[in-house]
Amino acid sequence: MSQTVGQTKLAYSRVWHLVDVGADARSLGRVASQIAIVLMGKHKPIWEPSADCGDYVVAVGCNELHTTGKKRMQKKYYSHTTRPGSLKEITMDRMFAKWGGGEVLRRAVRGMLPKNRLRDKRMARLKAFEGLAHPYKSNLIRSFERPKISEDPTISSAFSQTKC
């Protein structure tokens, strides 16, 4: 019997996922952690840490990212060029104004990925856009829309029966 059950090209094929960040009620960190899981491929049964089996993620509506508390004004991002005195800091609010919400989402997801050789390859599969328009409409297969309990037909019919 073969020892590579399920380790086929079909199992490693990449799927495109759509995430509407603006319409999602979850905060930045929760959305970023879900995106990181998909980029790593942890949602697949064939996942292993050394294999790059993750999928593509298209994040739209990044200009409407939701954060909790005062993070928008207080969270700071640092960069350094390794030269003395070149430490620069920028707040999340200024980063939104300068580079948009896509860069904030990219940095959040990048921090949640493992720090290894696959990190840049995984980040290249994240496509972030400010609005709802993007050039990957023909590639999309799945979306991250969370079903609302009120949209379930059995529950909505039960609600309508109790109202009458």
Side-chain angles (χ1 to χ4, degrees), residues 49-66:
S50 62
D52 191 15
C53 60
D55 292 339
Y56 287 91
V57 176
V58 178
V60 295
C62 292
N63 54 347
E64 300 172 11
L65 273 173
H66 172 66

PDB file of all heavy atoms in Angstrom, residues 49-66:
ATOM      1  N   PRO A  49       4.138  21.482   8.524  1.00  0.00           N
ATOM      2  CA  PRO A  49       4.833  22.766   8.656  1.00  0.00           C
ATOM      3  C   PRO A  49       5.848  23.050   7.552  1.00  0.00           C
ATOM      4  O   PRO A  49       6.041  24.209   7.177  1.00  0.00           O
ATOM      5  CB  PRO A  49       5.532  22.656  10.007  1.00  0.00           C
ATOM      6  CG  PRO A  49       4.795  21.626  10.745  1.00  0.00           C
ATOM      7  CD  PRO A  49       4.261  20.674   9.729  1.00  0.00           C
ATOM      8  N   SER A  50       6.480  22.029   7.006  1.00  0.00           N
ATOM      9  CA  SER A  50       7.535  22.281   6.027  1.00  0.00           C
ATOM     10  C   SER A  50       7.022  22.358   4.599  1.00  0.00           C
ATOM     11  O   SER A  50       7.779  22.705   3.700  1.00  0.00           O
ATOM     12  CB  SER A  50       8.596  21.184   6.115  1.00  0.00           C
ATOM     13  OG  SER A  50       8.004  19.940   5.810  1.00  0.00           O
ATOM     14  N   ALA A  51       5.753  22.029   4.378  1.00  0.00           N
ATOM     15  CA  ALA A  51       5.194  22.050   3.028  1.00  0.00           C
ATOM     16  C   ALA A  51       4.414  23.342   2.815  1.00  0.00           C
ATOM     17  O   ALA A  51       3.714  23.810   3.707  1.00  0.00           O
ATOM     18  CB  ALA A  51       4.293  20.854   2.813  1.00  0.00           C
ATOM     19  N   ASP A  52       4.525  23.891   1.634  1.00  0.00           N
ATOM     20  CA  ASP A  52       3.794  25.105   1.300  1.00  0.00           C
ATOM     21  C   ASP A  52       2.517  24.708   0.577  1.00  0.00           C
ATOM     22  O   ASP A  52       2.489  24.573  -0.642  1.00  0.00           O
ATOM     23  CB  ASP A  52       4.661  26.013   0.425  1.00  0.00           C
ATOM     24  CG  ASP A  52       4.050  27.390   0.288  1.00  0.00           C
ATOM     25  OD1 ASP A  52       3.152  27.717   1.068  1.00  0.00           O
ATOM     26  OD2 ASP A  52       4.483  28.138  -0.600  1.00  0.00           O
ATOM     27  N   CYS A  53       1.448  24.494   1.324  1.00  0.00           N
ATOM     28  CA  CYS A  53       0.199  24.007   0.737  1.00  0.00           C
ATOM     29  C   CYS A  53      -0.941  25.001   0.928  1.00  0.00           C
ATOM     30  O   CYS A  53      -2.097  24.631   0.843  1.00  0.00           O
ATOM     31  CB  CYS A  53      -0.171  22.647   1.316  1.00  0.00           C
ATOM     32  SG  CYS A  53      -0.397  22.648   3.089  1.00  0.00           S
ATOM     33  N   GLY A  54      -0.634  26.256   1.189  1.00  0.00           N
ATOM     34  CA  GLY A  54      -1.656  27.255   1.436  1.00  0.00           C
ATOM     35  C   GLY A  54      -2.352  27.730   0.181  1.00  0.00           C
ATOM     36  O   GLY A  54      -1.950  27.417  -0.940  1.00  0.00           O
ATOM     37  N   ASP A  55      -3.397  28.514   0.367  1.00  0.00           N
ATOM     38  CA  ASP A  55      -4.218  29.021  -0.725  1.00  0.00           C
ATOM     39  C   ASP A  55      -3.992  30.518  -0.911  1.00  0.00           C
ATOM     40  O   ASP A  55      -3.322  31.173  -0.114  1.00  0.00           O
ATOM     41  CB  ASP A  55      -5.692  28.770  -0.422  1.00  0.00           C
ATOM     42  CG  ASP A  55      -6.048  27.296  -0.433  1.00  0.00           C
ATOM     43  OD1 ASP A  55      -5.301  26.513  -1.039  1.00  0.00           O
ATOM     44  OD2 ASP A  55      -7.071  26.940   0.160  1.00  0.00           O
ATOM     45  N   TYR A  56      -4.603  31.052  -1.970  1.00  0.00           N
ATOM     46  CA  TYR A  56      -4.583  32.492  -2.226  1.00  0.00           C
ATOM     47  C   TYR A  56      -5.721  33.149  -1.457  1.00  0.00           C
ATOM     48  O   TYR A  56      -6.788  32.555  -1.292  1.00  0.00           O
ATOM     49  CB  TYR A  56      -4.778  32.766  -3.714  1.00  0.00           C
ATOM     50  CG  TYR A  56      -3.583  32.439  -4.567  1.00  0.00           C
ATOM     51  CD1 TYR A  56      -3.422  31.186  -5.135  1.00  0.00           C
ATOM     52  CD2 TYR A  56      -2.609  33.397  -4.803  1.00  0.00           C
ATOM     53  CE1 TYR A  56      -2.329  30.885  -5.917  1.00  0.00           C
ATOM     54  CE2 TYR A  56      -1.508  33.102  -5.587  1.00  0.00           C
ATOM     55  CZ  TYR A  56      -1.376  31.854  -6.139  1.00  0.00           C
ATOM     56  OH  TYR A  56      -0.284  31.562  -6.910  1.00  0.00           O
ATOM     57  N   VAL A  57      -5.498  34.386  -1.018  1.00  0.00           N
ATOM     58  CA  VAL A  57      -6.539  35.152  -0.333  1.00  0.00           C
ATOM     59  C   VAL A  57      -6.615  36.530  -0.968  1.00  0.00           C
ATOM     60  O   VAL A  57      -5.602  37.220  -1.099  1.00  0.00           O
ATOM     61  CB  VAL A  57      -6.248  35.284   1.179  1.00  0.00           C
ATOM     62  CG1 VAL A  57      -7.285  36.162   1.844  1.00  0.00           C
ATOM     63  CG2 VAL A  57      -6.202  33.932   1.832  1.00  0.00           C
ATOM     64  N   VAL A  58      -7.824  36.932  -1.374  1.00  0.00           N
ATOM     65  CA  VAL A  58      -8.072  38.267  -1.902  1.00  0.00           C
ATOM     66  C   VAL A  58      -8.884  39.006  -0.850  1.00  0.00           C
ATOM     67  O   VAL A  58     -10.025  38.636  -0.563  1.00  0.00           O
ATOM     68  CB  VAL A  58      -8.845  38.205  -3.241  1.00  0.00           C
ATOM     69  CG1 VAL A  58      -9.136  39.603  -3.746  1.00  0.00           C
ATOM     70  CG2 VAL A  58      -8.062  37.412  -4.270  1.00  0.00           C
ATOM     71  N   ALA A  59      -8.296  40.037  -0.257  1.00  0.00           N
ATOM     72  CA  ALA A  59      -8.963  40.830   0.779  1.00  0.00           C
ATOM     73  C   ALA A  59      -9.420  42.147   0.159  1.00  0.00           C
ATOM     74  O   ALA A  59      -8.605  42.905  -0.355  1.00  0.00           O
ATOM     75  CB  ALA A  59      -8.025  41.092   1.942  1.00  0.00           C
ATOM     76  N   VAL A  60     -10.718  42.401   0.186  1.00  0.00           N
ATOM     77  CA  VAL A  60     -11.270  43.638  -0.364  1.00  0.00           C
ATOM     78  C   VAL A  60     -11.878  44.461   0.767  1.00  0.00           C
ATOM     79  O   VAL A  60     -12.198  43.942   1.835  1.00  0.00           O
ATOM     80  CB  VAL A  60     -12.326  43.346  -1.449  1.00  0.00           C
ATOM     81  CG1 VAL A  60     -11.698  42.671  -2.642  1.00  0.00           C
ATOM     82  CG2 VAL A  60     -13.465  42.529  -0.915  1.00  0.00           C
ATOM     83  N   GLY A  61     -12.032  45.751   0.527  1.00  0.00           N
ATOM     84  CA  GLY A  61     -12.614  46.637   1.526  1.00  0.00           C
ATOM     85  C   GLY A  61     -11.690  46.931   2.686  1.00  0.00           C
ATOM     86  O   GLY A  61     -12.140  47.154   3.804  1.00  0.00           O
ATOM     87  N   CYS A  62     -10.381  46.955   2.432  1.00  0.00           N
ATOM     88  CA  CYS A  62      -9.411  47.173   3.513  1.00  0.00           C
ATOM     89  C   CYS A  62      -9.454  48.593   4.068  1.00  0.00           C
ATOM     90  O   CYS A  62      -8.930  48.845   5.147  1.00  0.00           O
ATOM     91  CB  CYS A  62      -7.999  46.854   3.021  1.00  0.00           C
ATOM     92  SG  CYS A  62      -7.754  45.116   2.688  1.00  0.00           S
ATOM     93  N   ASN A  63     -10.060  49.522   3.341  1.00  0.00           N
ATOM     94  CA  ASN A  63     -10.146  50.886   3.852  1.00  0.00           C
ATOM     95  C   ASN A  63     -11.134  50.996   5.004  1.00  0.00           C
ATOM     96  O   ASN A  63     -11.170  52.001   5.700  1.00  0.00           O
ATOM     97  CB  ASN A  63     -10.532  51.854   2.730  1.00  0.00           C
ATOM     98  CG  ASN A  63     -11.807  51.437   2.019  1.00  0.00           C
ATOM     99  OD1 ASN A  63     -12.285  50.321   2.185  1.00  0.00           O
ATOM    100  ND2 ASN A  63     -12.349  52.328   1.232  1.00  0.00           N
ATOM    101  N   GLU A  64     -11.936  49.955   5.251  1.00  0.00           N
ATOM    102  CA  GLU A  64     -12.914  49.966   6.336  1.00  0.00           C
ATOM    103  C   GLU A  64     -12.569  48.942   7.414  1.00  0.00           C
ATOM    104  O   GLU A  64     -13.455  48.325   8.000  1.00  0.00           O
ATOM    105  CB  GLU A  64     -14.300  49.679   5.770  1.00  0.00           C
ATOM    106  CG  GLU A  64     -14.747  50.698   4.748  1.00  0.00           C
ATOM    107  CD  GLU A  64     -16.042  50.294   4.068  1.00  0.00           C
ATOM    108  OE1 GLU A  64     -16.683  49.333   4.538  1.00  0.00           O
ATOM    109  OE2 GLU A  64     -16.404  50.933   3.084  1.00  0.00           O
ATOM    110  N   LEU A  65     -11.275  48.747   7.694  1.00  0.00           N
ATOM    111  CA  LEU A  65     -10.857  47.807   8.731  1.00  0.00           C
ATOM    112  C   LEU A  65     -11.398  48.235  10.089  1.00  0.00           C
ATOM    113  O   LEU A  65     -11.415  49.422  10.413  1.00  0.00           O
ATOM    114  CB  LEU A  65      -9.335  47.745   8.817  1.00  0.00           C
ATOM    115  CG  LEU A  65      -8.638  46.764   7.895  1.00  0.00           C
ATOM    116  CD1 LEU A  65      -7.140  46.955   8.003  1.00  0.00           C
ATOM    117  CD2 LEU A  65      -9.000  45.356   8.229  1.00  0.00           C
ATOM    118  N   HIS A  66     -11.809  47.264  10.866  1.00  0.00           N
ATOM    119  CA  HIS A  66     -12.363  47.534  12.198  1.00  0.00           C
ATOM    120  C   HIS A  66     -11.309  47.204  13.251  1.00  0.00           C
ATOM    121  O   HIS A  66     -10.753  46.113  13.263  1.00  0.00           O
ATOM    122  CB  HIS A  66     -13.617  46.688  12.410  1.00  0.00           C
ATOM    123  CG  HIS A  66     -14.155  46.754  13.793  1.00  0.00           C
ATOM    124  ND1 HIS A  66     -14.688  47.904  14.329  1.00  0.00           N
ATOM    125  CD2 HIS A  66     -14.233  45.813  14.753  1.00  0.00           C
ATOM    126  CE1 HIS A  66     -15.068  47.656  15.568  1.00  0.00           C
ATOM    127  NE2 HIS A  66     -14.808  46.390  15.852  1.00  0.00           N
TER     128      HIS A  66
END
